[in-house]
Amino acid sequence: MLLSPALAISAVLFTLGVAGVLLRRNAIVIFMCVELMLNAVNLTFVALAQSLGLGGQVFVFFVMAVAAAEAAVGLAIILAVYRHKQSVSLQNMNLLKDG
Amino acid sequence: MTLTVFWIFGVIAMGSGLLCITRKNPIASALWLVVTLFALAALFVLLDAQFIAVLQVLVYAGAIMVLFLFVIMLLNLGRPGPTDIKGPLGLLGATVLAGALLLLLRPLGEAPLPAGIQLPPGTVATLQQQRGMVGSVATPLFDTYLVPFEIASVLLLAAIVGAVVLAKRKL
Amino acid sequence: MTGTTVDLIWLAPALALLGFVLNGTLALARPTAKTLVSTIGAGVLLAAFGVAIAVFSAFTGLHAPTEAPVVFRYWSWIPVGTLQVDFALQVDQLSLVMLLVVTGVGSLIHLFSIGYMKDDPGYARYFAYLNLFVFFMLVLVLGASFPVMFVGWEGVGLCSYLLIGFWFTEEVNANAGRKAFIMNRIGDFGFMVAMFMIFWSTGSLDFDTVFAHAPTALTAGGTAITVITLFLFLGCTGKSAQIPLYTWLPDAMAGPTPVSALIHAATMVTAGVYLVARCNLLFALAPVSSAVVAGVGALTALFAATIALQQWDIKKVLAYSTISQLGYMFLAVGTGAMTAGMFHLVTHACFKALLFLGSGSVIFALHRAYHHTHSHEDAQDMRNMGGLARYMPWTTALMWIATLAIAGIPPFSGFFSKDEILTAAFARGSVEPIWLVFWGLSLVAALLTAFYMTRLMIYTFHGPNRTGEREQTHLHEAPWILTGPLVVLGVLSAAGGLLNVPELYHGGEWLHHWLEPVTQPGAALRPEAPLASGTEWMLVGVAVAVAVIGIVGAWQLLKPERLVPARNAPEERGLARILRNKWYVDEIYDALIVRPLVWFSRVVLWQEIDQRVIDGAAVNGAARGARALGWANRWIQSGQVGTYVAVFVVGVLLILWRAMG
């Protein structure tokens, strides 16, 4: 059975994604790390679909749709931010704090 | 034999994932992520999800990642920025937290699946035999998950409109 | 469903609603399209009257018209647990009588309105409201359950409010509307409490189920049924202007005169009588409440009649007269003489509508005369009238018919119905002596009725004219669209008694037998009170004598020659002044209820509880607390997304740790 190794690989990939988000400041790279996490989850879905039914594979499909939408909107946001700040570094994105 | 191949691709995925998050150049990161996605596609094939594997290559590695690269190049970010990676303190924090996460996730892989929700062995394989690779995914998609499927299409439309609105200088 | 024309009953309210929708649209879009508005407004009513007649004749043609009422359930309205209320209409003998009265008198008054309101800028709005009123009134009388009836009950209250305040640009009228609305609210509270209690004790709100279960579910004369019926009667006192909630009706005369005729004389204010008649079984089970109903009715009849003696506004006289006559109806239904009450309701609808429309015709003429000379005199004050018989012969003759009818002179309609009430009260007195007191009160009221109505006629139509030299040339009879409906009502007022000629005159008592299926269950529970025919003849003699004394006395005592126009009129003194000021009831209510309530609301509820406690402590306190918390914790918000992500991950880890536990 490939379930255990698949889950282990998935866990490692997910952790790598989290670590990347924590480590990086470049918004685009952080985005890629999020994609990495999504893919880790996809792997879990596919692995479990083998024993729990094909609903898992359908869900991967939905995850991809959401990821595509997210990438389109997210990258557009980054583009818009870059236009304002000439930077995509999170260090410069601190408008959440008043003043 | 399958297990060995599985592990080979798994190690490729994990290794290129690690490289993805550690490369200073965003383009390098993106290309390493593409490698990870390809490796994952291979894992999907080994897990009897050929259709998903094809989608993975087409949609993820093909479309989404090209979009990423396109934006990176559009913004002329193809070289490492001065503050792209956090300093030693950030590295330490990220390592600790990631390690803790991995530690916490580890028991999940070993826990046995509850017997009640498991299908009898071979059910999925039979289904794929009967309906074909695509059909076995398509049937639940257009049957049980029809409404979410339609909503997903609305979501994509909204994303397209939203992206245009956000990215355009003037409407 | 019966498979006959009776099934078309829904058309009657639907037509009125259609009229409201169309006229309402016109009022917003094309308020000047008066021909179209009048065609729709009066047309739907005439059509509804046609439907009513068709349903009536079909109903009499049913194989077993004396059996259970025909109930049409259209849709489920409030399905909550055991409370199942359908939107259902009920056709039976009682609702048919009301249906005919509402659509019949309503049609005439709609026709009259076409002439009366023709120069009003709010013409379309007026007809929209009037049609809406008829719709709700029909829902009220046709509803097959308490809640459906309540919808109509509230709806007619709304329309009454809208039409009293029809000329809302003057504050007096708007206030009169509010007064009516608020007084009715008190009554509606009683109605609702009664509904809750009925559901609580019988488990249903449909008329048929309630009346079927009531005799077993409620002990006769017990506390529950007494409280229920008293609360129902509280609702009636509001809607039907009885003591203590009658004060809104005289003020309601601020509305256009046809409205006073339709809503505040002929139909809406009789809804309370209809309610008691509909619930006659419940009232029969509660002798105490019945006595209260009869007592309040008799007292109101007398009390309002005394006030009517000294009013100068022609419509105010009629308003108090209406209250007084409604008192008679409640005396009847309280006595258990449901037929007598309904009979008086029908005849009163005719002659009081005639009186109001006749006074409308007079006001119309005076108003026009004053309009020509640009005078600002009061067109409703009787001191400005006098001698109008010369100018308005038709109106005068018809008003005299109505006056004789209301005074109880045979053979006009009011004689039969009023006499039946007095006889029933006297007969009941042989079983329970208190009814003899009620009979005495209402007999005095009858005397006063004859007196004040004759006074109204003398001052308005006879004696010298006090309108003014220049105005006299402009006084003349109203156009046919105004007098036409009057003539029809005059015929009905004169001949309405034929509906229920008692056995004493070898009549068939048609109405009595017709209503028997509805009134029988209640009547069976009340004590028999037979009267010898000799006694009956004596009672008739007394009643007629009283009426004649009233008329002749008024003719002898009142000297219209001595009256001066309202402008120069001296202040009254003594009793006349007290009566002129309506026994100061409004002032007493103001001092006892309104002022303390306003003070309590302003000082205690508003300034103390609302401003200090709720606004100060609760609302502002919460805001201050939130601000203090934010001030204390704002260092957490660094604005750095990276930090937020790290904190977020720590949170996720903690949750995972707990979950893996």
Side-chain angles (χ1 to χ4, degrees):
Chain A
M1 279 301 284
L2 298 173
L3 186 59
S4 275
L7 289 179
I9 294 168
S10 167
V12 171
L13 284 177
F14 190 84
T15 310
L16 283 173
V18 172
V21 169
L22 290 170
L23 192 63
R24 306 295 294 246
R25 288 206 182 94
N26 187 324
I28 297 181
V29 179
I30 286 177
F31 229 133
M32 294 196 286
C33 294
V34 172
E35 298 291 338
L36 194 57
M37 283 191 261
L38 285 174
N39 271 287
V41 174
N42 279 357
L43 182 58
T44 321
F45 271 129
V46 171
L48 286 170
Q50 270 195 317
S51 45
L52 299 183
L54 286 165
Q57 297 199 11
V58 175
F59 263 87
V60 174
F61 183 85
F62 285 125
V63 171
M64 282 184 186
V66 172
E70 184 202 326
V73 177
L75 289 172
I77 291 174
I78 289 172
L79 217 59
V81 169
Y82 183 80
R83 216 174 274 146
H84 272 283
K85 301 233 165 208
Q86 303 301 318
S87 158
V88 293
S89 174
L90 284 189
Q91 252 187 340
N92 299 327
M93 299 184 199
N94 53 2
L95 278 178
L96 279 176
K97 187 178 181 180
D98 177 33
Chain B
M1 174 62 194
T2 320
L3 193 63
T4 322
V5 178
F6 193 86
W7 270 116
I8 291 172
F9 280 110
V11 168
I12 292 174
M14 291 187 284
S16 48
L18 184 64
L19 287 167
C20 165
I21 67 166
T22 48
R23 292 307 89 190
K24 280 191 173 153
N25 192 328
I27 291 200
S29 284
L31 291 176
W32 279 118
L33 183 59
V34 172
V35 176
T36 313
L37 297 179
F38 269 109
L40 273 171
L43 294 185
F44 289 169
V45 172
L46 291 174
L47 289 166
D48 295 332
Q50 284 84 344
F51 178 54
I52 299 295
V54 171
L55 277 189
Q56 174 87 355
V57 173
L58 284 179
V59 176
Y60 252 120
I64 298 182
M65 286 318 294
V66 166
L67 192 61
F68 273 92
L69 285 170
F70 186 74
V71 171
I72 294 170
M73 290 170 176
L74 182 74
L75 300 183
N76 206 9
L77 298 174
R79 64 193 109 72
T83 59
D84 232 18
I85 299 182
K86 288 178 184 169
L89 202 65
L91 185 65
L92 181 70
T95 320
V96 168
L97 287 178
L101 180 64
L102 201 58
L103 212 66
L104 284 169
L105 287 178
R106 200 175 46 86
L108 278 183
E110 283 139 26
L113 285 175
I117 60 169
Q118 253 179 324
L119 297 174
T123 316
V124 173
T126 326
L127 214 63
Q128 285 173 333
Q129 290 269 307
Q130 281 169 353
R131 295 189 187 147
M133 276 308 158
V134 181
S136 58
V137 182
T139 313
L141 184 63
F142 291 112
D143 184 7
T144 321
Y145 300 99
L146 181 61
V147 175
F149 175 75
E150 294 295 343
I151 293 173
S153 67
V154 176
L155 176 76
L156 284 172
L157 178 67
I160 292 167
V161 176
V164 170
V165 170
L166 284 168
K168 225 168 148 59
R169 270 168 221 271
K170 266 186 191 160
L171 280 175
Chain C
M1 296 296 129
T2 59
T4 60
T5 321
V6 180
D7 296 352
L8 292 179
I9 189 65
W10 61 273
L11 259 180
L15 276 167
L17 188 64
L18 177 74
F20 162 68
V21 171
L22 293 179
N23 275 338
T25 317
L26 281 173
L28 295 174
R30 291 280 303 279
T32 47
K34 293 195 176 176
T35 321
L36 189 56
V37 168
S38 0
T39 315
I40 296 170
V44 290
L45 248 271
L46 288 167
F49 185 48
V51 170
I53 291 177
V55 168
F56 176 74
S57 52
F59 188 79
T60 49
L62 282 184
H63 293 300
T66 52
E67 279 182 8
V70 187
V71 176
F72 299 98
R73 299 188 190 283
Y74 294 104
W75 63 81
S76 176
W77 177 32
I78 311 178
V80 188
T82 54
L83 173 65
Q84 297 288 336
V85 180
D86 295 337
F87 188 89
L89 299 182
Q90 168 169 354
V91 179
D92 64 0
Q93 291 77 4
L94 185 61
S95 61
L96 273 177
V97 170
M98 292 298 288
L99 176 68
L100 285 170
V101 170
V102 172
T103 53
V105 178
S107 300
L108 293 171
I109 291 170
H110 274 69
L111 287 174
F112 184 89
S113 299
I114 293 175
Y116 191 83
M117 300 294 287
K118 74 173 190 301
D119 293 326
D120 199 280
Y123 191 75
R125 185 166 59 94
Y126 172 83
F127 270 97
Y129 289 166
L130 220 52
N131 284 339
L132 183 66
F133 166 78
V134 173
F135 165 70
F136 278 125
M137 193 67 207
L138 291 177
V139 170
L140 196 166
V141 299
L142 292 173
S145 62
F146 285 99
V148 175
M149 184 182 179
F150 191 66
V151 168
W153 186 275
E154 289 295 306
V156 291
L158 167 73
C159 296
S160 164
Y161 161 78
L162 289 171
L163 284 162
I164 293 169
F166 182 71
W167 291 307
F168 54 80
T169 46
E170 282 183 42
E171 204 188 348
V172 190
N173 302 343
N175 282 342
R178 276 187 231 156
K179 186 173 176 183
F181 207 73
I182 292 167
M183 288 298 229
N184 271 300
R185 262 315 61 65
I186 302 172
D188 297 341
F189 154 78
F191 194 139
M192 290 180 74
V193 172
M195 273 205 287
F196 301 149
M197 291 187 66
I198 288 169
F199 178 69
W200 180 62
S201 47
T202 66
S204 174
L205 285 170
D206 292 338
F207 287 143
D208 42 10
T209 326
V210 169
F211 298 148
H213 288 180
T216 48
L218 295 156
T219 36
T223 320
I225 185 71
T226 308
V227 174
I228 287 175
T229 44
L230 282 178
F231 271 116
L232 274 180
F233 182 60
L234 178 63
C236 299
T237 58
K239 191 61 76 192
S240 294
Q242 295 296 294
I243 292 174
L245 298 179
Y246 71 91
T247 54
W248 65 270
L249 187 57
D251 288 25
M253 296 302 124
T257 308
V259 170
S260 311
L262 178 62
I263 301 184
H264 304 121
T267 54
M268 183 190 86
V269 289
T270 60
V273 182
Y274 167 75
L275 176 62
V276 179
R278 171 61 74 202
C279 304
N280 65 80
L281 181 69
L282 300 183
F283 281 89
L285 287 170
V288 179
S289 306
S290 290
V292 170
V293 172
V296 169
L299 208 59
T300 310
L302 179 62
F303 188 75
T306 59
I307 300 176
L309 288 177
Q310 198 57 34
Q311 296 301 309
W312 292 114
D313 187 320
I314 186 169
K315 286 179 70 184
K316 286 272 165 74
V317 178
L318 294 176
Y320 281 105
S321 158
T322 304
I323 298 174
S324 173
Q325 298 300 312
L326 288 166
Y328 276 109
M329 295 177 211
F330 277 106
L331 172 61
V333 291
T335 310
M338 299 298 159
T339 312
M342 289 306 293
F343 185 27
H344 198 57
L345 189 157
V346 174
T347 57
H348 174 257
C350 295
F351 62 67
K352 189 49 68 65
L354 174 54
L355 284 171
F356 264 113
L357 294 187
S359 77
S361 167
V362 168
I363 295 166
F364 186 75
L366 246 72
H367 186 77
R368 211 167 34 177
Y370 282 134
H371 188 71
H372 271 294
T373 58
H374 305 289
S375 169
H376 292 287
E377 291 295 332
D378 188 352
Q380 301 190 8
D381 196 308
M382 290 194 292
R383 286 170 296 195
N384 292 335
M385 300 173 183
L388 293 180
R390 265 164 286 162
Y391 310 101
M392 314 177 74
W394 277 97
T395 309
T396 312
L398 291 162
M399 287 283 276
W400 266 115
I401 292 178
T403 302
L404 295 178
I406 194 175
I409 300 292
F412 296 99
S413 58
F415 162 71
F416 292 100
S417 52
K418 193 188 274 185
D419 189 55
E420 205 172 321
I421 294 172
L422 292 173
T423 309
F426 188 82
R428 191 69 187 277
S430 63
V431 186
E432 288 161 84
I434 183 82
W435 255 269
L436 288 176
V437 179
F438 301 159
W439 175 76
L441 289 175
S442 51
L443 198 65
V444 179
L447 175 75
L448 297 180
T449 306
F451 189 91
Y452 68 69
M453 281 316 298
T454 315
R455 170 177 176 270
L456 181 144
M457 294 306 293
I458 294 174
Y459 284 167
T460 307
F461 294 106
H462 302 285
N465 181 269
R466 298 176 295 276
T467 310
E469 291 289 319
R470 292 188 300 145
E471 283 84 0
Q472 281 177 11
T473 51
H474 297 289
L475 284 174
H476 45 78
E477 188 68 82
W480 66 267
I481 188 79
L482 295 187
T483 43
L486 290 185
V487 173
V488 179
L489 283 170
V491 172
L492 291 175
S493 302
L498 294 176
L499 211 55
N500 198 30
V501 180
E503 285 170 17
L504 197 59
Y505 317 112
H506 309 289
E509 296 202 318
W510 178 82
L511 188 68
H512 182 72
H513 293 302
W514 170 254
L515 286 177
E516 226 161 19
V518 180
T519 58
Q520 187 51 42
L525 291 169
R526 294 179 193 269
E528 288 276 335
L531 271 187
S533 73
T535 324
E536 279 198 56
W537 279 113
M538 184 206 75
L539 287 173
V540 171
V542 170
V544 174
V546 156
V548 171
I549 291 171
I551 293 174
V552 174
W555 199 270
Q556 292 296 321
L557 289 174
L558 298 174
K559 298 283 178 282
E561 306 81 31
R562 295 198 200 142
L563 271 189
V564 284
R567 199 171 351 118
N568 312 322
E571 280 281 304
E572 295 96 335
R573 277 198 297 272
L575 185 62
R577 183 164 178 166
I578 297 177
L579 292 180
R580 170 96 178 85
N581 287 306
K582 308 158 250 175
W583 296 102
Y584 295 101
V585 169
D586 274 329
E587 285 75 8
I588 294 169
Y589 280 3
D590 191 54
L592 283 186
I593 297 168
V594 178
R595 275 170 205 281
L597 196 65
V598 169
W599 176 86
F600 183 74
S601 310
R602 185 183 297 275
V603 177
V604 178
L605 290 181
W606 174 37
Q607 289 175 348
E608 289 299 320
I609 294 184
D610 190 50
Q611 287 200 328
R612 289 243 179 103
V613 179
I614 294 177
D615 268 9
V619 178
N620 289 343
R624 261 186 236 117
R627 192 170 63 179
L629 266 177
W631 185 82
N633 294 319
R634 70 176 178 182
W635 60 270
I636 298 172
Q637 301 286 332
S638 66
Q640 288 293 333
V641 182
T643 322
Y644 293 172
V645 171
V647 173
F648 169 64
V649 171
V650 170
V652 169
L653 287 178
L654 285 175
I655 292 172
L656 265 181
W657 180 56
R658 289 292 305 165
M660 295 294 155

